[in-house]
Every structure is written in C-alpha cells, then in structure tokens.
Amino acid sequence: MDKHLEQSQHTIVLIDGVCHMCQGLTKFIIKRDPAGVFQFASLQSDIGKDILRQGGLPEETVDTVVVVENGTYYTRSAAALRIVRRLTFPWRLLYGFIIVPRALRDVLYKWVAKNRYRWFGQDEECMIPTPEIRRRFL
C-alpha cells in the first residue's frame, strides 16, 4: 500500500489544483469539517499522482474529484456525496441524493466538470495553501 495512504487516518480528497471552483470547494469543505476528517492533495502533484496510481486511476485524471476512504476510491458524484455526508449540518443532508441513480448524478457532474474552467477560471499553477490550512494538505 502507498505510504501516503498508510500514513493517513483521514479521508483523502484529490482535487484539480488549478481549478478555481475546486479551490473554493476545498476551502468550503475545510470550514465545514471541524474534526479535520479530510486531507487534501492536488491531482497534479506527485503525491496526488501516486495515490491515483495506487487506485488504478490514470495519472492524467483531472476531470473528477477523487475521494479515498478506507482504501476505497470514489469519483465524480459518488466522491462528492462521500464528502457531504461527513460535513456539518445541514450539508450532510445532501447525501440523500445517493438514492438518485449514479448514471443520472454523473451526467450533471460531468457537465459541471466540463465547464468549470470557463465558468470559474483556472490558475497556471496549483494553489498554495495558507499557513492556517497547510496541515490539511498532503
């Protein structure tokens, strides 16, 4: 097992580090995760690529959030729902969308993912975490 996964007792969230929407969602999650359940890494980082390889996902994966929880990998809407179920109330109520068939949820997810750079913008490089949240990043 990858050393990053062995060392982490947390749920790992891999995000597109250059996407403004993804950066905003990371900050959103951190504010609503007072217990510090989630740790983050950029999909483009060496650590992110190592974790993707460990899960059998291509290193070039940047069109989805990836959640690693107890050794299981989740992508797209399943990953998003795994995140919200661990956030503070009322956000965890969104986990109720798990009853919607994954194929339908993923249609919406893929549409947003396809348009995220156009709608929200992107950076040339991955976000540098502030000192206050740096401990949450792998």
mmCIF file of all heavy atoms in Angstrom, residues 20-36:
data_model
loop_
_atom_site.group_PDB
_atom_site.id
_atom_site.type_symbol
_atom_site.label_atom_id
_atom_site.label_comp_id
_atom_site.label_asym_id
_atom_site.label_seq_id
_atom_site.Cartn_x
_atom_site.Cartn_y
_atom_site.Cartn_z
ATOM 1 N N HIS A 20 -10.309 27.076 -10.122
ATOM 2 C CA HIS A 20 -10.809 27.995 -9.092
ATOM 3 C C HIS A 20 -12.011 27.425 -8.344
ATOM 4 O O HIS A 20 -12.123 27.595 -7.129
ATOM 5 C CB HIS A 20 -11.187 29.335 -9.712
ATOM 6 C CG HIS A 20 -10.014 30.148 -10.133
ATOM 7 N ND1 HIS A 20 -10.148 31.349 -10.769
ATOM 8 C CD2 HIS A 20 -8.679 29.941 -10.016
ATOM 9 C CE1 HIS A 20 -8.958 31.856 -11.022
ATOM 10 N NE2 HIS A 20 -8.045 31.008 -10.587
ATOM 11 N N MET A 21 -12.905 26.746 -9.040
ATOM 12 C CA MET A 21 -14.054 26.148 -8.371
ATOM 13 C C MET A 21 -13.592 25.088 -7.370
ATOM 14 O O MET A 21 -14.068 25.046 -6.233
ATOM 15 C CB MET A 21 -15.010 25.513 -9.383
ATOM 16 C CG MET A 21 -16.248 24.897 -8.737
ATOM 17 S SD MET A 21 -17.282 23.987 -9.892
ATOM 18 C CE MET A 21 -16.414 22.446 -9.965
ATOM 19 N N CYS A 22 -12.645 24.269 -7.767
ATOM 20 C CA CYS A 22 -12.146 23.202 -6.901
ATOM 21 C C CYS A 22 -11.428 23.775 -5.683
ATOM 22 O O CYS A 22 -11.568 23.263 -4.567
ATOM 23 C CB CYS A 22 -11.225 22.277 -7.684
ATOM 24 S SG CYS A 22 -12.006 21.549 -9.145
ATOM 25 N N GLN A 23 -10.670 24.849 -5.885
ATOM 26 C CA GLN A 23 -10.001 25.505 -4.776
ATOM 27 C C GLN A 23 -11.036 26.058 -3.791
ATOM 28 O O GLN A 23 -10.882 25.932 -2.570
ATOM 29 C CB GLN A 23 -9.112 26.641 -5.284
ATOM 30 C CG GLN A 23 -7.931 26.164 -6.091
ATOM 31 C CD GLN A 23 -7.199 27.299 -6.784
ATOM 32 O OE1 GLN A 23 -7.450 28.467 -6.538
ATOM 33 N NE2 GLN A 23 -6.281 26.943 -7.672
ATOM 34 N N GLY A 24 -12.098 26.661 -4.331
ATOM 35 C CA GLY A 24 -13.168 27.177 -3.482
ATOM 36 C C GLY A 24 -13.867 26.067 -2.719
ATOM 37 O O GLY A 24 -14.199 26.226 -1.537
ATOM 38 N N LEU A 25 -14.090 24.941 -3.383
ATOM 39 C CA LEU A 25 -14.731 23.812 -2.712
ATOM 40 C C LEU A 25 -13.849 23.252 -1.606
ATOM 41 O O LEU A 25 -14.352 22.835 -0.559
ATOM 42 C CB LEU A 25 -15.084 22.717 -3.726
ATOM 43 C CG LEU A 25 -16.262 23.042 -4.633
ATOM 44 C CD1 LEU A 25 -16.419 21.977 -5.712
ATOM 45 C CD2 LEU A 25 -17.549 23.201 -3.847
ATOM 46 N N THR A 26 -12.548 23.260 -1.814
ATOM 47 C CA THR A 26 -11.632 22.800 -0.767
ATOM 48 C C THR A 26 -11.784 23.673 0.471
ATOM 49 O O THR A 26 -11.900 23.163 1.597
ATOM 50 C CB THR A 26 -10.180 22.821 -1.274
ATOM 51 O OG1 THR A 26 -10.086 21.939 -2.390
ATOM 52 C CG2 THR A 26 -9.214 22.381 -0.193
ATOM 53 N N LYS A 27 -11.785 24.974 0.290
ATOM 54 C CA LYS A 27 -11.965 25.897 1.412
ATOM 55 C C LYS A 27 -13.327 25.711 2.073
ATOM 56 O O LYS A 27 -13.449 25.750 3.302
ATOM 57 C CB LYS A 27 -11.788 27.339 0.940
ATOM 58 C CG LYS A 27 -10.370 27.646 0.503
ATOM 59 C CD LYS A 27 -10.270 29.025 -0.133
ATOM 60 C CE LYS A 27 -8.889 29.244 -0.717
ATOM 61 N NZ LYS A 27 -8.814 30.496 -1.475
ATOM 62 N N PHE A 28 -14.365 25.481 1.253
ATOM 63 C CA PHE A 28 -15.713 25.229 1.757
ATOM 64 C C PHE A 28 -15.724 23.993 2.657
ATOM 65 O O PHE A 28 -16.277 23.995 3.749
ATOM 66 C CB PHE A 28 -16.669 25.043 0.570
ATOM 67 C CG PHE A 28 -18.076 24.705 0.941
ATOM 68 C CD1 PHE A 28 -18.995 25.713 1.175
ATOM 69 C CD2 PHE A 28 -18.483 23.380 1.037
ATOM 70 C CE1 PHE A 28 -20.310 25.400 1.507
ATOM 71 C CE2 PHE A 28 -19.781 23.065 1.366
ATOM 72 C CZ PHE A 28 -20.708 24.081 1.609
ATOM 73 N N ILE A 29 -15.093 22.920 2.190
ATOM 74 C CA ILE A 29 -15.039 21.667 2.953
ATOM 75 C C ILE A 29 -14.306 21.881 4.271
ATOM 76 O O ILE A 29 -14.773 21.456 5.336
ATOM 77 C CB ILE A 29 -14.368 20.546 2.124
ATOM 78 C CG1 ILE A 29 -15.243 20.165 0.925
ATOM 79 C CG2 ILE A 29 -14.084 19.324 2.997
ATOM 80 C CD1 ILE A 29 -14.522 19.331 -0.123
ATOM 81 N N ILE A 30 -13.164 22.533 4.230
ATOM 82 C CA ILE A 30 -12.362 22.744 5.435
ATOM 83 C C ILE A 30 -13.160 23.484 6.504
ATOM 84 O O ILE A 30 -13.135 23.117 7.678
ATOM 85 C CB ILE A 30 -11.040 23.471 5.095
ATOM 86 C CG1 ILE A 30 -10.115 22.509 4.340
ATOM 87 C CG2 ILE A 30 -10.364 24.004 6.353
ATOM 88 C CD1 ILE A 30 -8.889 23.156 3.732
ATOM 89 N N LYS A 31 -13.913 24.505 6.101
ATOM 90 C CA LYS A 31 -14.711 25.278 7.066
ATOM 91 C C LYS A 31 -15.827 24.451 7.691
ATOM 92 O O LYS A 31 -16.268 24.738 8.796
ATOM 93 C CB LYS A 31 -15.327 26.502 6.384
ATOM 94 C CG LYS A 31 -14.337 27.585 6.104
ATOM 95 C CD LYS A 31 -15.018 28.785 5.468
ATOM 96 C CE LYS A 31 -14.004 29.859 5.154
ATOM 97 N NZ LYS A 31 -14.630 31.011 4.484
ATOM 98 N N ARG A 32 -16.281 23.425 6.995
ATOM 99 C CA ARG A 32 -17.396 22.617 7.472
ATOM 100 C C ARG A 32 -16.952 21.238 7.960
ATOM 101 O O ARG A 32 -17.754 20.337 8.111
ATOM 102 C CB ARG A 32 -18.439 22.498 6.379
ATOM 103 C CG ARG A 32 -19.187 23.820 6.218
ATOM 104 C CD ARG A 32 -19.623 24.090 4.802
ATOM 105 N NE ARG A 32 -20.180 25.433 4.697
ATOM 106 C CZ ARG A 32 -19.454 26.520 4.422
ATOM 107 N NH1 ARG A 32 -18.164 26.423 4.220
ATOM 108 N NH2 ARG A 32 -20.029 27.705 4.345
ATOM 109 N N ASP A 33 -15.659 21.112 8.202
ATOM 110 C CA ASP A 33 -15.053 19.869 8.684
ATOM 111 C C ASP A 33 -14.230 20.172 9.939
ATOM 112 O O ASP A 33 -13.007 20.058 9.932
ATOM 113 C CB ASP A 33 -14.178 19.271 7.578
ATOM 114 C CG ASP A 33 -13.423 18.027 8.011
ATOM 115 O OD1 ASP A 33 -13.911 17.302 8.904
ATOM 116 O OD2 ASP A 33 -12.331 17.787 7.461
ATOM 117 N N PRO A 34 -14.903 20.565 11.024
ATOM 118 C CA PRO A 34 -14.167 20.962 12.222
ATOM 119 C C PRO A 34 -13.347 19.831 12.844
ATOM 120 O O PRO A 34 -12.356 20.088 13.525
ATOM 121 C CB PRO A 34 -15.253 21.455 13.177
ATOM 122 C CG PRO A 34 -16.512 20.832 12.691
ATOM 123 C CD PRO A 34 -16.350 20.650 11.210
ATOM 124 N N ALA A 35 -13.730 18.592 12.600
ATOM 125 C CA ALA A 35 -12.991 17.460 13.158
ATOM 126 C C ALA A 35 -11.727 17.146 12.353
ATOM 127 O O ALA A 35 -10.914 16.330 12.772
ATOM 128 C CB ALA A 35 -13.891 16.221 13.215
ATOM 129 N N GLY A 36 -11.570 17.785 11.196
ATOM 130 C CA GLY A 36 -10.379 17.542 10.383
ATOM 131 C C GLY A 36 -10.345 16.163 9.763
ATOM 132 O O GLY A 36 -9.279 15.564 9.632
#
